[in-house]
Amino acid sequence: MVAIFNSEGVAAREAAQEAVPAPKAEPAPPPPPKTATVASGTRLVIRMSEAIDTRRHSSGHRFRAQLESALMVDGVTVAPRGTMLYGRITQAKSAGRVAGSSEMAIEFTDIMLNELMYEITTDGLKAQTGNEGGRTAKRTARAAALGGLYGGSSSAKKGAKVGVGASILTSGASINIPAGTLVETNLRAPLTVKL
Protein backbone atom coordinates (compact mmCIF):
# COMPACT_ATOMS: atom_id res chain seq x y z
CA MET A 1 0.00 0.00 0.00
CA VAL A 2 1.38 3.34 -0.95
CA ALA A 3 0.76 6.27 1.41
CA ILE A 4 0.15 9.56 -0.29
CA PHE A 5 0.88 12.80 1.59
CA ASN A 6 -0.08 16.28 0.65
CA SER A 7 3.28 18.01 0.27
CA GLU A 8 1.76 21.40 1.02
CA GLY A 9 0.40 20.12 4.35
CA VAL A 10 3.78 18.68 5.37
CA ALA A 11 5.52 21.94 4.53
CA ALA A 12 2.94 23.90 6.55
CA ARG A 13 3.44 21.67 9.60
CA GLU A 14 7.22 22.00 9.38
CA ALA A 15 6.95 25.80 9.10
CA ALA A 16 4.65 25.92 12.14
CA GLN A 17 7.16 23.89 14.16
CA GLU A 18 9.97 26.23 13.11
CA ALA A 19 7.89 29.29 14.09
CA VAL A 20 7.74 28.24 17.76
CA PRO A 21 10.04 30.72 19.49
CA ALA A 22 13.00 29.35 21.40
CA PRO A 23 12.96 30.01 25.14
CA LYS A 24 14.31 33.49 25.88
CA ALA A 25 17.61 33.79 27.69
CA GLU A 26 17.50 35.77 30.95
CA PRO A 27 18.75 39.32 30.38
CA ALA A 28 22.13 40.04 31.92
CA PRO A 29 21.86 42.10 35.12
CA PRO A 30 22.93 45.71 34.74
CA PRO A 31 26.47 46.39 35.89
CA PRO A 32 26.69 47.76 39.41
CA PRO A 33 26.99 51.57 39.52
CA LYS A 34 30.53 52.86 39.74
CA THR A 35 31.29 54.51 43.04
CA ALA A 36 34.26 56.11 44.73
CA THR A 37 34.90 56.59 48.43
CA VAL A 38 36.68 59.62 49.82
CA ALA A 39 38.47 58.49 52.97
CA SER A 40 37.84 59.82 56.45
CA GLY A 41 40.44 62.44 57.34
CA THR A 42 40.63 63.86 53.80
CA ARG A 43 41.50 67.57 53.87
CA LEU A 44 38.95 69.97 52.39
CA VAL A 45 39.91 73.50 51.30
CA ILE A 46 36.72 75.54 51.07
CA ARG A 47 35.87 79.09 49.98
CA MET A 48 32.93 80.73 51.74
CA SER A 49 30.23 81.93 49.32
CA GLU A 50 28.37 83.95 51.95
CA ALA A 51 29.42 86.09 54.90
CA ILE A 52 28.38 84.95 58.37
CA ASP A 53 28.55 87.08 61.50
CA THR A 54 27.63 86.52 65.15
CA ARG A 55 25.83 89.89 65.14
CA ARG A 56 23.37 88.75 62.46
CA HIS A 57 23.34 84.95 62.49
CA SER A 58 22.48 82.49 65.23
CA SER A 59 22.98 78.78 65.79
CA GLY A 60 21.29 76.73 63.06
CA HIS A 61 21.82 79.31 60.29
CA ARG A 62 22.63 77.62 56.95
CA PHE A 63 25.20 78.95 54.50
CA ARG A 64 26.86 78.03 51.19
CA ALA A 65 30.49 77.49 50.22
CA GLN A 66 32.51 75.95 47.37
CA LEU A 67 35.43 73.56 47.12
CA GLU A 68 38.60 75.51 46.40
CA SER A 69 40.45 72.38 45.26
CA ALA A 70 39.14 69.18 43.66
CA LEU A 71 38.61 65.95 45.59
CA MET A 72 40.51 63.07 43.96
CA VAL A 73 40.35 59.30 44.57
CA ASP A 74 42.94 57.12 42.81
CA GLY A 75 43.47 59.74 40.14
CA VAL A 76 39.72 60.18 39.49
CA THR A 77 38.06 63.54 40.17
CA VAL A 78 35.18 62.86 42.54
CA ALA A 79 34.29 66.52 43.15
CA PRO A 80 35.74 69.26 40.92
CA ARG A 81 36.85 72.67 42.12
CA GLY A 82 33.78 74.87 42.59
CA THR A 83 31.53 72.05 43.83
CA MET A 84 28.81 73.47 46.10
CA LEU A 85 28.89 72.71 49.82
CA TYR A 86 26.38 73.60 52.51
CA GLY A 87 27.11 74.23 56.15
CA ARG A 88 25.54 75.47 59.34
CA ILE A 89 26.45 77.48 62.37
CA THR A 90 26.48 75.19 65.38
CA GLN A 91 27.23 77.90 67.93
CA ALA A 92 27.00 81.69 67.80
CA LYS A 93 27.32 84.23 70.57
CA SER A 94 28.19 87.92 70.45
CA ALA A 95 29.81 89.57 73.42
CA GLY A 96 28.25 92.57 75.10
CA ARG A 97 29.61 96.03 74.42
CA VAL A 98 31.63 96.21 77.61
CA ALA A 99 32.75 92.67 78.42
CA GLY A 100 32.32 89.03 77.51
CA SER A 101 33.58 86.94 74.62
CA SER A 102 32.17 86.16 71.20
CA GLU A 103 32.06 82.59 69.92
CA MET A 104 31.24 80.96 66.61
CA ALA A 105 31.44 77.33 65.51
CA ILE A 106 30.60 76.01 62.04
CA GLU A 107 30.55 72.68 60.24
CA PHE A 108 29.84 71.49 56.70
CA THR A 109 26.90 69.10 56.30
CA ASP A 110 26.17 68.49 52.59
CA ILE A 111 27.86 68.41 49.19
CA MET A 112 26.11 68.61 45.78
CA LEU A 113 27.51 66.21 43.15
CA ASN A 114 25.91 65.50 39.75
CA GLU A 115 22.64 67.01 40.99
CA LEU A 116 22.62 64.65 43.99
CA MET A 117 22.96 65.85 47.58
CA TYR A 118 25.25 63.81 49.83
CA GLU A 119 25.50 64.23 53.58
CA ILE A 120 29.01 64.81 54.89
CA THR A 121 30.50 65.06 58.36
CA THR A 122 33.43 67.41 58.92
CA ASP A 123 35.54 68.61 61.79
CA GLY A 124 34.08 71.78 63.26
CA LEU A 125 35.74 75.17 62.96
CA LYS A 126 35.57 77.36 66.04
CA ALA A 127 36.57 80.95 66.75
CA GLN A 128 36.45 82.79 70.05
CA THR A 129 37.44 86.29 71.14
CA GLY A 130 38.95 87.14 74.47
CA ASN A 131 36.83 88.96 77.05
CA GLU A 132 39.29 91.68 78.03
CA GLY A 133 38.11 95.12 76.97
CA GLY A 134 41.70 96.25 76.36
CA ARG A 135 42.12 93.76 73.51
CA THR A 136 39.35 95.23 71.36
CA ALA A 137 41.63 97.59 69.42
CA LYS A 138 44.12 94.80 68.75
CA ARG A 139 41.38 92.47 67.50
CA THR A 140 39.98 95.19 65.22
CA ALA A 141 43.42 95.88 63.73
CA ARG A 142 43.94 92.18 63.05
CA ALA A 143 40.55 92.00 61.34
CA ALA A 144 41.47 94.90 59.08
CA ALA A 145 44.77 93.26 58.10
CA LEU A 146 43.10 89.97 57.27
CA GLY A 147 40.37 91.78 55.38
CA GLY A 148 43.08 93.26 53.16
CA LEU A 149 44.39 89.79 52.40
CA TYR A 150 40.96 88.48 51.48
CA GLY A 151 40.34 91.35 49.10
CA GLY A 152 43.89 91.57 47.77
CA SER A 153 45.85 89.84 45.06
CA SER A 154 45.40 86.20 44.11
CA SER A 155 48.68 85.27 45.80
CA ALA A 156 47.52 86.95 49.00
CA LYS A 157 44.19 85.13 48.81
CA LYS A 158 45.96 81.78 48.61
CA GLY A 159 47.63 82.48 51.92
CA ALA A 160 44.48 83.72 53.64
CA LYS A 161 43.13 80.55 55.14
CA VAL A 162 41.89 79.39 58.48
CA GLY A 163 42.70 76.08 60.11
CA VAL A 164 40.75 74.00 62.58
CA GLY A 165 40.42 75.79 65.91
CA ALA A 166 41.96 79.04 64.63
CA SER A 167 40.40 82.45 65.14
CA ILE A 168 38.73 83.67 61.99
CA LEU A 169 37.99 87.40 62.01
CA THR A 170 37.20 89.40 65.09
CA SER A 171 35.95 92.94 65.07
CA GLY A 172 34.93 94.57 68.32
CA ALA A 173 32.49 92.25 70.05
CA SER A 174 31.64 90.03 67.06
CA ILE A 175 33.13 87.32 64.91
CA ASN A 176 32.57 87.34 61.18
CA ILE A 177 33.69 85.25 58.22
CA PRO A 178 33.49 87.30 55.01
CA ALA A 179 32.46 85.80 51.67
CA GLY A 180 35.58 84.64 49.86
CA THR A 181 37.33 83.48 53.03
CA LEU A 182 39.29 80.24 52.65
CA VAL A 183 38.82 77.71 55.42
CA GLU A 184 40.08 74.17 55.73
CA THR A 185 38.72 71.20 57.58
CA ASN A 186 38.70 67.39 57.33
CA LEU A 187 36.10 64.72 56.65
CA ARG A 188 35.19 62.90 59.87
CA ALA A 189 33.52 60.00 58.03
CA PRO A 190 34.08 58.42 54.58
CA LEU A 191 32.05 59.82 51.67
CA THR A 192 30.89 57.35 48.98
CA VAL A 193 29.54 58.90 45.76
CA LYS A 194 28.27 57.65 42.38
CA LEU A 195 30.52 58.42 39.45
Side-chain angles (χ1 to χ4, degrees), residues 17 53 67 72 84 123 134 160-161 163 168 182:
Q17 290 172 353
D53 192 313
L67 282 181
M72 308 282 291
M84 188 66 69
D123 290 331
K161 61 183 179 180
I168 298 173
L182 288 179

Side-chain angles (χ1 to χ4, degrees), residues 53-62 88-93 104-105:
D53 192 313
T54 54
R55 289 175 298 184
R56 296 184 292 121
H57 303 118
S58 57
S59 179
H61 176 77
R62 307 280 300 178
R88 70 178 169 216
I89 298 175
T90 57
Q91 181 182 3
K93 172 189 163 189
M104 180 189 284

Side-chain angles (χ1 to χ4, degrees), residues 3 6 20 25 107 143 151 156-157 175 181:
N6 183 335
V20 175
E107 64 182 6
K157 288 180 183 178
I175 296 171
T181 301

